[in-house]
Amino acid sequence: MKGGDMSSVSPLVSFVLGAAMATVCVLFFMSATPARRLVDISAFTSAAPDNLTGIASSVSDSDSDAAVADSAAALASTATLAPAPAPVQAPSPWGDLEEVLARAATKDRTVIMTQINAAWTRPGSLLDLFFESFRTGEGGVARLLDHLVIVTMDPAAYEGCKAVHRHCYFLRTSNGVDYRSEKMFMSKDYLEMMWGRNRFQQTVLELGYNFLFTDVDVMWFRDPFRHISMAADIAISSDVYIGDPYSLRNFPNGGFLFVRSSAKTIDFYRAWQQGRWRFLGKHEQDVFNLIKHEMAPKLDLAIQFLDTAYISGFCQLSKDLNKICTLHANCCVGLGAKLHDLRGVLDVWRNYTAGTPDERRAGKFQWKLPGICIH
């Protein structure tokens, strides 16, 4: 029995021992895997602070860049941009003309203009007589000198002008004419001077200014503007006045000429300039007389011819000193003849202004007749 018992126990022991060994292997394997996992976790957690620092550093750098960008944007939005450089403008062919006109003009952009050369600026010459007429005139006519632009034709005249007047302009020309000396009536240089004056007047209109042009041999005793109609586009003095201010049969004189700046008066001046070549050898006053019948209706232009009772001249002399506003030494050739007769005119005017009201009303004062030209 005992031998049989031992043999029956051995298989059981073998089974138990085998199962135990298998269990130990399983437990060993299972215990080994968590350990590996713990090592991995430990390695991750030990490395985490470095990783987080890198992430934080990256976030910090991004925030810093964004802050700098925001600051730059804010600075750009508040910064004042430097102005763009002004475009370079070509110098005006007329120099400081616009500045002179603006300084002299009335509120409605009207200027009075005259034109001189060196011969007329010498002491005792026409410019002196011209100024004296304003100073001895009546009704505040002297104040109109504030709006007078003297256009000079040569450097000596320009310097002479600046010595006695505020508004002087030097009209530089390229036609080769020496304007320092007197130009004889209807000579080649005279025609160049007169047509150049006409073109200059057109420029003043194109710049948007009305003008009253007066020759320097016109004496101003009273304000002539009150005799210029508001309806007139052009108002011009008359060598011969027939009584109707709007009749084109009146004979004009361009030495006293008012023009309002407008598209139609500029067009008239263009036609006037073209007339120089249509009627070769004529001066500008004759061409005006030739084109007035054509251009006035074509442009719907109102031309007023000024009454010689008020805007007078040697051609058709007003003898009523109580009415006269201006007196022009027209129909008179030569500087010497003009000076002689205008000095006599100023002598009579001074006596007239010194007279009593009764003497003036009685017509006691009359021009000295005859003179060289005045009659």
Side-chain angles (χ1 to χ4, degrees), residues 227 232 234-253 288-289 292 302-308:
H227 297 288
I234 295 174
I236 190 167
S237 62
S238 309
D239 276 349
V240 179
Y241 180 71
I242 64 172
D244 178 357
Y246 290 98
S247 171
L248 294 177
R249 292 185 295 116
N250 291 296
F251 197 91
N253 187 294
F288 181 101
N289 205 40
K292 63 185 180 183
I303 301 177
Q304 177 191 6
F305 294 85
L306 297 168
D307 189 340
T308 53

Side-chain angles (χ1 to χ4, degrees), residues 39-326:
V39 170
D40 290 342
I41 292 171
S42 175
F44 174 78
T45 55
S46 65
D50 291 338
N51 291 340
L52 291 174
T53 301
I55 293 168
S57 175
S58 176
V59 171
S60 176
D61 290 345
S62 298
D63 289 345
S64 177
D65 290 345
V68 170
D70 289 344
S71 297
L75 182 61
S77 67
T78 58
T80 302
L81 295 177
V88 177
Q89 295 183 343
S92 167
W94 303 104
D96 62 346
L97 175 60
E98 291 183 74
E99 177 187 342
V100 174
L101 292 173
R103 195 168 61 237
T106 62
K107 291 181 180 179
D108 69 346
R109 296 175 67 86
T110 298
V111 294
I112 302 168
M113 298 192 303
T114 194
Q115 184 171 312
I116 60 172
N117 64 7
W120 297 340
T121 60
R122 297 188 186 108
S125 194
L126 286 175
L127 186 60
D128 281 351
L129 302 185
F130 183 71
F131 279 140
E132 185 178 349
S133 72
F134 280 90
R135 289 192 294 266
T136 60
E138 295 186 332
V141 68
R143 76 184 188 281
L144 296 178
L145 288 173
D146 292 339
H147 306 294
L148 172 69
V149 174
I150 299 179
V151 181
T152 61
M153 302 299 295
D154 58 81
Y158 182 61
E159 293 303 320
C161 174
K162 290 194 297 180
V164 296
H165 191 60
R166 291 177 56 207
H167 310 306
C168 303
Y169 175 69
F170 182 15
L171 177 59
R172 293 169 174 82
T173 61
S174 57
N175 56 16
V177 177
D178 181 357
Y179 286 107
R180 290 173 294 181
S181 59
E182 179 186 1
K183 303 305 172 192
M184 294 306 297
F185 181 70
M186 293 306 293
S187 66
K188 180 177 181 295
D189 286 354
Y190 173 87
L191 291 175
E192 283 292 339
M193 181 174 69
M194 300 308 289
W195 281 109
R197 182 179 84 178
N198 182 266
R199 179 64 185 88
F200 177 75
Q201 291 172 352
Q202 179 181 332
T203 298
V204 173
L205 295 176
E206 290 169 345
L207 291 173
Y209 289 90
N210 318 310
F211 67 80
L212 173 52
F213 179 84
T214 171
D215 276 342
V216 75
D217 61 348
V218 175
M219 302 294 100
W220 286 54
F221 300 129
R222 297 183 177 96
D223 185 349
F225 280 98
R226 56 185 174 166
H227 297 288
I228 296 173
S229 171
M230 292 296 294
D233 297 303
I234 295 174
I236 190 167
S237 62
S238 309
D239 276 349
V240 179
Y241 180 71
I242 64 172
D244 178 357
Y246 290 98
S247 171
L248 294 177
R249 292 185 295 116
N250 291 296
F251 197 91
N253 187 294
F256 193 89
L257 170 67
F258 175 79
V259 186
R260 299 186 199 279
S261 177
S262 68
K264 57 185 177 180
T265 55
I266 292 170
D267 284 345
F268 180 83
Y269 262 80
R270 290 178 181 139
W272 198 353
Q273 280 284 312
Q274 291 167 3
R276 178 183 184 180
W277 311 112
R278 289 174 59 192
F279 308 102
L280 286 173
K282 299 287 187 181
H283 64 69
E284 94 296 349
Q285 183 173 295
D286 284 342
V287 172
F288 181 101
N289 205 40
L290 290 166
I291 68 171
K292 63 185 180 183
H293 296 280
E294 172 191 354
M295 299 307 300
K298 181 177 180 179
L299 297 173
D300 190 27
L301 204 65
I303 301 177
Q304 177 191 6
F305 294 85
L306 297 168
D307 189 340
T308 53
Y310 305 100
I311 312 301
S312 192
F314 291 176
C315 294
Q316 192 172 26
L317 182 64
S318 172
K319 298 179 181 178
D320 189 345
L321 275 67
N322 293 315
K323 289 183 176 181
I324 197 166
C325 292
T326 64

